[in-house]
Amino acid sequence: MAKIRKTRFAILGLLSWQPMTGYDIKKLVELGLSHFWNESYGQLYPTLSQLVEEGLAVKKTKRQGNRKRHEFTITAAGRRAFLEWLQEPTEQPRVRSEFQLKFFHCGRRPVAEGIRLVEEYQIQQRTTQEMFVASESVLSHAIEHDVVPEELDSIVGNNSTDQLLFFLLSLRHGVLAVEARLAWCEETLAALKRLQSTHSKAAKKRGTG
Amino acid sequence: MAKIRKTRFAILGLLSWQPMTGYDIKKLVELGLSHFWNESYGQLYPTLSQLVEEGLAVKKTKRQGNRKRHEFTITAAGRRAFLEWLQEPTEQPRVRSEFQLKFFHCGRRPVAEGIRLVEEYQIQQRTTQEMFVASESVLSHAIEHDVVPEELDSIVGNNSTDQLLFFLLSLRHGVLAVEARLAWCEETLAALKRLQSTHSKAAKKRGTG
DNA sequence: TCAGACATGTAAGTCGTTACATGATTCA
DNA sequence: TGAATCATGTAACGACTTACATGTCTGA
């Protein structure tokens, strides 16, 4: 069975806003969607060609002097395909967490190793959290004062009122997720330190007994 | 640059407990690690052969009548490779959430569509939560009463005291994550319903004004 | 003039799933 | 006897990343 090719819909979704080049799409994703999505050129350009072949988008080559821009415009069929995908049930991604795989195996290792692993994870999560919170406050401010910050203009476009809210809410998903991971770190670190002191007491007992 | 082949380490980790066949590994992963890891046969068997080629594991063919079991044992080099991986920094996985991609694009769709999408997600997350909570309570009980339930025996093995705790904590990671997602659903549903009523009021105003 | 952004693409390799293909054993 | 489980594997496909290759334009 063919897997659903999600890159197609990511592209189609952005093209449903306005015509764009592959480069535009890449930048837009990096700037605005990177907390839940990413694309590489190696995926982007071939998929764009495919979309054209299937009549879901059309390509117009524009020239500015010697510079060429391949601008892609979504077709009616493209819009249909996109809306169809939007309404289809969303399959849950199969998880594969390298961190958790390591953590699990730390059960057979000295406790200090588990602690080190979790602390490293905690630092990563804090960094992520900072980024999320910064974006969130910019956006909240924008919504409150009803102005679209310049750096967000390309992301939310003109018809912005609702889109801004959805953007904030999608960010909020990330914020809550990272908070949960940090809470887990606290809990776990506490548990592992208790375990460590239990072990060292047991060792002392053996030593003196 | 070659990506890190994580399947190798997932396998090596399990083989560091005891010799196993590909089938055993598959079952073990499904039974015990499925909340953070999964493997398919199409990945498993070729990787096992590779591990043998590289001297990280050895293969012994055992026969029971006409039935053959290819049992793999980790070598000293295999253990070294595994421990090395365990100590290496863990890269954060690049995210790609189809759900969030859809949600983001709902900003340009009727609010009801966004609500439908989130409600579907909420149901999925509740199902996941139920599974997590059930496993968690079995495990907590086991730890409290210091007995390893039969169905967990193959997962935690003999040297179980610490391993059981790590298993519980890894489950706890999933529990907190799913709780966070459900909290987001609540928040978001409330926000979208407010938005919906704002829209319908505006529509009425236009109708009567 | 030169760095950085704009712009397009391909090739090689990895990762991973699903479907297919095969056959033995166990137990109800 | 037949379904479920044990058991091993391959082939086809698709997704995705990284590195490579190339060239233009703009502004400090």
Side-chain angles (χ1 to χ4, degrees):
Chain A
M1 196 205 295
K3 260 270 199 64
I4 291 154
R5 290 108 98 176
K6 295 171 196 168
T7 294
R8 308 160 65 75
F9 299 108
I11 293 176
L12 247 21
L14 295 181
L15 292 185
S16 77
W17 299 10
Q18 55 182 286
M20 273 184 247
T21 67
Y23 189 80
D24 291 339
I25 291 171
K26 176 78 166 117
K27 288 301 134 190
L28 201 49
V29 170
E30 270 172 16
L31 231 77
L33 318 189
S34 58
H35 65 283
F36 63 82
W37 201 258
N38 64 78
E39 289 293 347
S40 64
Y41 286 123
Q43 193 71 356
L44 221 37
Y45 284 111
T47 305
L48 278 167
S49 303
Q50 228 177 278
L51 252 26
V52 171
E53 262 174 55
E54 296 169 37
L56 305 179
V58 288
K59 180 179 178 174
K60 268 179 287 186
T61 303
K62 296 194 169 181
R63 289 187 177 280
Q64 293 172 303
N66 239 334
R67 182 124 120 208
K68 54 181 174 169
R69 264 176 75 81
H70 293 172
E71 232 178 51
F72 294 87
T73 308
I74 194 167
T75 64
R79 273 180 209 282
R80 271 198 303 280
F82 176 67
L83 289 182
E84 216 172 276
W85 167 75
L86 215 50
Q87 255 120 58
E88 263 165 25
T90 309
E91 33 169 345
Q92 290 189 74
R94 48 195 195 324
V95 287
R96 234 177 171 205
S97 161
E98 189 180 6
F99 165 71
Q100 285 202 80
L101 183 60
K102 282 185 180 174
F103 179 76
F104 182 74
H105 283 298
C106 279
R108 310 224 152 201
R109 306 287 311 150
V111 182
E113 245 173 80
I115 292 176
R116 207 221 85 239
L117 183 71
V118 176
E119 280 172 346
E120 183 200 60
Y121 183 64
Q122 191 178 38
I123 290 169
Q124 284 181 346
Q125 295 305 316
R126 280 192 184 137
T127 307
T128 308
Q129 187 186 35
E130 276 163 34
M131 293 179 347
F132 272 122
V133 168
S135 306
E136 209 192 10
S137 74
V138 169
L139 248 180
S140 294
H141 183 272
I143 289 180
E144 235 168 87
H145 300 279
D146 203 26
V147 285
V148 179
E150 212 182 317
E151 72 265 35
L152 292 179
D153 196 61
S154 60
I155 300 163
V156 292
N158 339 320
N159 181 14
S160 55
T161 345
D162 283 15
Q163 189 58 57
L164 224 46
L165 175 66
F166 274 77
F167 192 61
L168 179 66
L169 287 170
S170 91
L171 220 42
R172 184 89 187 126
H173 189 285
V175 169
L176 291 180
V178 82
E179 276 174 5
R181 289 193 283 265
L182 283 169
W184 178 83
C185 287
E186 296 282 332
E187 256 191 54
T188 299
L189 249 17
L192 295 187
K193 278 165 187 172
R194 270 200 306 279
L195 184 64
Q196 202 173 34
S197 73
T198 310
H199 282 195
S200 67
K201 268 178 206 159
K204 248 179 216 158
K205 213 171 175 183
R206 274 198 306 278
T208 56
Chain B
M1 194 205 296
K3 256 290 190 52
I4 292 155
R5 288 109 96 171
K6 296 171 196 166
T7 294
R8 309 159 65 75
F9 299 109
I11 293 176
L12 247 22
L14 295 181
L15 291 185
S16 77
W17 300 9
Q18 54 182 285
M20 273 185 249
T21 67
Y23 189 80
D24 290 339
I25 292 171
K26 175 76 166 120
K27 288 300 137 194
L28 201 48
V29 170
E30 270 173 17
L31 231 76
L33 318 189
S34 57
H35 65 283
F36 62 83
W37 200 258
N38 64 77
E39 289 293 347
S40 63
Y41 285 124
Q43 194 71 355
L44 221 39
Y45 284 111
T47 306
L48 278 167
S49 304
Q50 228 177 277
L51 252 27
V52 171
E53 263 173 53
E54 296 169 36
L56 305 179
V58 288
K59 180 178 176 175
K60 268 179 288 185
T61 302
K62 295 194 171 181
R63 292 186 174 279
Q64 294 172 301
N66 238 333
R67 181 122 122 211
K68 53 181 176 172
R69 266 175 73 83
H70 293 172
E71 233 179 48
F72 295 87
T73 307
I74 194 168
T75 64
R79 273 178 209 283
R80 272 198 303 279
F82 175 67
L83 288 181
E84 217 171 275
W85 167 76
L86 215 51
Q87 254 121 58
E88 264 165 24
T90 309
E91 31 169 348
Q92 290 188 76
R94 44 188 196 319
V95 286
R96 231 176 174 208
S97 160
E98 190 180 6
F99 165 72
Q100 285 202 80
L101 183 60
K102 282 185 181 175
F103 179 76
F104 182 74
H105 283 298
C106 280
R108 311 224 149 200
R109 306 287 309 151
V111 182
E113 245 172 79
I115 292 176
R116 207 223 83 237
L117 183 71
V118 176
E119 281 172 346
E120 184 200 61
Y121 183 64
Q122 191 178 37
I123 290 168
Q124 285 182 346
Q125 295 306 316
R126 280 192 185 136
T127 307
T128 308
Q129 188 186 36
E130 275 164 34
M131 292 180 347
F132 272 122
V133 168
S135 306
E136 208 191 10
S137 74
V138 169
L139 249 179
S140 294
H141 183 271
I143 289 180
E144 231 168 273
H145 300 278
D146 203 27
V147 284
V148 180
E150 211 183 317
E151 71 266 35
L152 292 178
D153 196 61
S154 60
I155 300 163
V156 293
N158 339 319
N159 182 13
S160 55
T161 346
D162 283 15
Q163 189 59 55
L164 224 47
L165 176 66
F166 274 78
F167 191 61
L168 179 66
L169 288 170
S170 91
L171 220 42
R172 185 88 186 126
H173 189 284
V175 170
L176 291 180
V178 83
E179 275 174 5
R181 289 193 283 265
L182 283 169
W184 178 84
C185 287
E186 297 281 333
E187 257 191 54
T188 299
L189 249 16
L192 294 187
K193 278 166 188 173
R194 271 200 304 279
L195 184 64
Q196 203 173 32
S197 73
T198 310
H199 281 196
S200 67
K201 269 179 207 161
K204 249 179 215 159
K205 214 173 176 180
R206 275 198 305 280
T208 57

